Amino acid sequence: MTALTLSTAGAATLRADALVVGLAKSGKTLVVAPGAEAVDKAFDGRLAAVLETLGASGAEGEATKLPAPAGLKAPVVLAVGLGEAPEDGESFGAETLRRAAGTAARTLTGTKKAAFALPIAAAEDAAAIAEGALLGAYAYNAYKASPEAKADKDAKKPLAEVALLGAKPRDKAYKAAAERAQAVAEEINRARDLINQPPNDLYPATFAAAVQAAGKEHGLKVQVLDEKALTKGGYGGILGVGNGSVNPPRLVRVAYTHPKAEKTLALVGKGITYDSGGISLKPAGHNETMKCDMAGAAAVFSTVVAAARLGLEVNVTGWLALAENMPSGSATRPGDVLNMYSGKTVEVLNTDAEGRLVLADALTKASEEHPDAIVDVATLTGAMVLALGDRTFGIMANDDDFRTAIHEIAEEVGEQSWPMPLPADLRKSMDSPTADMANMGVRMGGGLVAGLFLQEFVGEGITWAHLDIAGPAFHEGAPYGYTPKGGTGSSVRTLVKLAERTAAGEL
């Protein structure tokens, strides 16, 4: 776990293994960003010129290392690109700082301590830099076991300590910003760890056990419904998906309550710990990363813990619909009809459209507690990835103002999202001649059809939103900014900020 400190020391005097500075573009000229004046002075005012000679351009995502001159305690200077310099009187954007800090932390893998001399004009800047650095200093290597892998693992340990220069450790706003950044980043990394864990070790029962352990640590109330309780309760959606696996399903309720809370936010997460597609089996090339199909449940779990750690004056209840979707003699077949917890019947036309089935039962159950709002999070449809790409999640809702609020919150915290409609005309495509409805509709607009399906199971009069994080939940390409390869923890920052806004009475 990477340590975070706020330091009043100067960039030239703090002892560290590396010193991080910002490099920006002002027209055709490279400029050293504020916060690194002492470092530039040690280079006789020629730091930007030296970096340009080394090929630096100041572009976002760029990192350039060079040896430090006499006059600096750190042996290495790392310049990270910040893109275009802001206009006079303006500051660098929070996401620019967050990504630059993440790039620096990744570049400094194997380093013990780095001092970040990036532009800090307010506590919000310190928070963005801290968050980016802590998220960038992430690695998942729990299963590296060979002697060679262990040696490589030791050499590539995440950056151990981040010192923010220019922050004010005695200022309440700065201290609170740093503490929040650490809590949120650690919970995002908790979600990442769960997403990256192999499915032979993370299945419904072990996921539920992880929630119970965290519940004890953070004072959360945890209730786990096993397969017997699910059968007795009539949770046909969750059972219909999970009955094909030797690892039976679970429905987990994890709740944080505050004595002064006036509102309750319910979060529902899709937790398919492995998705083979079931009888509608996925082809090779589409099932290798399906351990990530529980990313929604991981995000919900981490958000509830973050709310507890931050002491938010709002009740936050998480519902994790956990199952493993496998083909077997006991698996649901295309054409089967499931009796859902709501009382509706659903004809299953495709067993690979399983996420909506487990979410439906969880949404119905969450609605029984009459929360002020419900948000479900799921890696639900490939159609959403086709529509928005692999870095943007879609937002659907039964209330336009709520959908807009979530979109604005996501943009504020640096998560790419886009509001999507719920066209009523698509609902008819899910009509079934056999049951109340089918789990599939028309192919075109499939992500919207899935949203319409879920809406059927939300309690009357309850404000609801659906986040389809199928694109950004799992990153298969090269790391960038603070985003690693593998699980990303997508939507946690949005959900935490939503809880904060709810606690403040803004929603």
Side-chain angles (χ1 to χ4, degrees):
M1 188 179 298
T2 302
L4 174 67
T5 58
L6 305 182
S7 178
T8 57
T13 58
L14 183 70
R15 292 188 180 277
D17 299 294
L19 191 55
V20 179
V21 301
L23 186 66
K25 297 181 286 186
S26 180
K28 296 183 179 180
T29 305
L30 289 184
V31 295
V32 177
E37 292 82 1
V39 182
D40 192 29
K41 184 178 179 181
F43 280 88
D44 297 325
R46 292 184 47 78
L47 177 55
V50 171
L51 288 167
E52 187 171 18
T53 300
L54 293 174
S57 67
E60 290 191 39
E62 182 181 77
T64 307
K65 273 186 181 181
L66 67 165
L72 298 180
K73 296 293 185 182
V76 173
V77 172
L78 174 66
V80 288
L82 297 173
E84 287 293 333
E87 299 291 333
D88 290 343
E90 296 184 6
S91 302
F92 286 94
E95 183 64 4
T96 295
L97 295 175
R98 193 180 288 116
R99 290 186 180 183
T103 297
R106 285 191 300 101
T107 304
L108 293 172
T109 295
T111 304
K112 290 184 178 180
K113 181 178 181 178
F116 283 65
L118 294 173
I120 295 180
E124 291 77 15
D125 297 333
I129 295 168
E131 200 173 81
L134 294 172
L135 292 175
Y138 172 82
Y140 188 78
N141 46 30
Y143 289 80
K144 301 287 188 179
S146 70
E148 296 81 9
K150 285 182 178 179
D152 185 59
K153 174 179 172 180
D154 291 339
K156 293 183 178 179
K157 286 182 178 178
L159 175 62
E161 182 180 351
V162 172
L164 295 191
L165 306 184
K168 302 174 182 178
R170 295 182 182 179
D171 185 290
K172 288 183 179 180
Y174 279 82
K175 286 178 66 177
E179 289 170 1
R180 180 191 183 281
Q182 184 126 32
V184 173
E186 288 175 359
E187 292 312 315
I188 291 172
N189 287 339
R190 181 198 297 272
R192 290 171 170 180
D193 282 349
L194 287 166
I195 296 165
N196 289 328
Q197 192 170 350
N200 57 317
D201 283 343
L202 186 75
Y203 42 91
T206 55
F207 197 148
V211 178
Q212 290 173 316
K216 289 181 180 180
E217 181 181 356
H218 297 286
L220 307 173
K221 186 176 181 180
V222 180
Q223 179 186 11
V224 179
L225 299 184
D226 63 12
E227 66 272 29
K228 292 181 180 179
L230 292 170
T231 301
K232 184 177 180 180
Y235 294 85
I238 296 175
L239 289 166
V241 174
N243 277 346
S245 173
V246 295
N247 295 311
R250 297 287 188 269
L251 177 61
V252 179
R253 179 184 186 272
V254 53
Y256 160 72
T257 57
H258 192 285
K260 295 183 180 180
E262 295 182 357
K263 290 191 175 183
T264 296
L265 183 63
L267 306 175
V268 177
K270 173 187 171 183
I272 304 299
T273 56
Y274 181 75
D275 182 18
S276 70
I279 298 297
S280 306
L281 194 66
K282 293 179 185 290
H286 292 78
N287 56 18
E288 291 81 358
T289 60
M290 281 298 100
K291 65 180 182 179
C292 79
D293 214 18
M294 37 58 67
V300 166
F301 171 35
S302 291
T303 299
V304 177
V305 178
R309 293 180 62 175
L310 296 172
L312 303 183
E313 292 187 12
V314 60
N315 298 327
V316 183
T317 304
W319 297 89
L320 316 184
L322 308 177
E324 192 173 68
N325 188 23
M326 297 290 286
S328 74
S330 59
T332 293
R333 296 153 293 227
D336 283 355
V337 173
L338 303 179
N339 294 294
M340 309 297 283
Y341 180 71
S342 68
K344 285 186 171 74
T345 57
V346 174
E347 182 182 11
V348 178
L349 299 181
N350 187 327
T351 65
D352 196 21
E354 84 299 329
R356 64 199 69 183
L357 299 173
V358 300
L359 286 172
D361 279 356
L363 284 167
T364 304
K365 185 64 176 177
S367 296
E368 290 180 348
E369 297 186 356
H370 304 289
D372 293 283
I374 298 176
V375 179
D376 77 70
V377 190
T379 47
L380 203 60
T381 65
M384 197 57 61
V385 185
L386 290 173
L388 299 179
D390 57 11
R391 294 191 183 185
T392 303
F393 62 77
I395 308 170
M396 284 156 266
N398 61 4
D399 181 287
D400 288 348
D401 290 340
F402 191 51
R403 182 184 63 187
T404 299
I406 293 176
H407 175 55
E408 290 174 350
I409 286 171
E411 295 299 301
E412 178 185 339
V413 300
E415 294 199 292
Q416 294 174 223
S417 68
W418 197 251
M420 302 293 283
L422 288 171
D425 59 286
L426 293 179
R427 169 60 183 86
K428 186 172 178 58
S429 69
M430 288 185 285
D431 286 349
S432 164
T434 307
D436 294 331
M437 63 187 304
N439 77 326
M440 291 289 289
V442 292
R443 182 184 178 193
M444 299 303 165
L448 312 182
V449 170
L452 287 165
F453 180 93
L454 296 178
Q455 185 175 225
E456 296 271 333
F457 298 89
V458 178
E460 187 175 352
I462 298 176
T463 301
W464 159 79
H466 161 58
L467 311 186
D468 191 337
I469 61 170
F474 195 85
H475 180 55
E476 296 186 64
Y480 64 93
Y482 52 81
T483 301
K485 187 179 180 70
T488 64
S490 175
S491 79
V492 173
R493 283 181 288 155
T494 297
L495 296 176
V496 171
K497 180 60 74 172
L498 176 65
E500 290 174 326
R501 291 279 180 85
T502 305
E506 298 176 17
L507 293 172

